[in-house]
Amino acid sequence: CVSIAARKRESKELLIGVIFDPMQNETWTVVRGEKPMLNGKTIAVSNRAEMAEAVVTVGFSKSKEALDLGFDRYKRIAYEVRKTRMLGSAALAMAYIATGRLDAYVEEQISLWDIAAGQLMIEMGGGKVMLKPSTTKPGTMFICAWNGKLPIEEYL
């Protein structure tokens, strides 16, 4: 997919975002302060609040340390949720959370350009995004994005 976002230079506040999936001909758009949209229709995160009902994706970064952390996290989460999925695209995973197709996404090592548009979509759609410096590669981030209702933080 293609993911584009804009933010203010000084404050780094995200302003707009677009994610396009050419395989499905789907376009997600968001403007700060407004509800996100998919192909022109308003969307929102899911209402699932129990891990046993959740569909979660865990990303696996390429370094050995990030893979090891990802596998350990995957095991903790996979036993608790209804289903896990692997999409291979952080931006698409976040668009799916904003749409309610997925409930959470976790990855140890990601870059801002991969997740900026999705972050704004999830936040404007009622979800949450936690970003921390990655412990495996300087300059990258750990991310947990979710519908804001799941107790996913207990499994990180």
Side-chain angles (χ1 to χ4, degrees):
C1 72
V2 177
S3 178
I4 301 169
R7 67 180 184 168
K8 286 185 182 177
R9 179 169 290 156
E10 300 80 27
S11 67
K12 298 187 179 182
E13 177 183 46
L14 293 168
L15 302 173
I16 61 171
V18 176
I19 298 175
F20 175 61
D21 179 0
M23 300 296 288
Q24 298 299 319
N25 196 29
E26 292 183 317
T27 303
W28 289 264
T29 57
V30 66
V31 175
R32 174 160 296 287
E34 298 178 14
K35 297 286 186 187
M37 302 182 94
L38 168 58
N39 291 340
K41 296 182 181 176
T42 302
I43 56 172
V45 298
S46 75
N47 287 319
R48 287 182 281 279
E50 295 182 28
M51 293 296 282
E53 295 299 316
V55 181
V56 175
T57 184
V58 177
F60 292 95
S61 305
K62 295 177 180 86
S63 74
K64 180 183 180 338
E65 295 144 333
L67 278 169
D68 288 344
L69 287 170
F71 289 139
D72 290 341
R73 188 174 295 114
Y74 179 82
K75 281 175 40 179
R76 286 192 303 274
I77 292 171
Y79 290 124
E80 302 299 324
V81 299
R82 172 171 273 173
K83 292 282 182 188
T84 59
R85 298 284 182 253
M86 292 185 69
L87 298 179
S89 167
L92 200 53
M94 296 181 79
Y96 278 25
I97 293 169
T99 310
R101 296 176 185 170
L102 288 174
D103 302 303
Y105 159 62
V106 180
E107 188 157 351
E108 181 60 40
Q109 188 178 299
I110 198 77
S111 297
L112 178 62
W113 53 82
D114 292 318
I115 56 92
Q119 177 181 352
L120 187 58
M121 282 178 203
I122 290 171
E123 291 173 348
M124 294 297 104
K128 294 184 180 179
V129 178
M130 172 198 311
L131 296 170
K132 298 180 183 179
S134 172
T135 60
T136 60
K137 184 178 178 186
T140 63
M141 299 171 290
F142 164 83
I143 185 171
C144 179
W146 73 107
N147 65 1
K149 298 161 185 73
L150 292 176
I152 188 107
E153 294 169 291
E154 298 173 21
Y155 301 90
L156 302 180

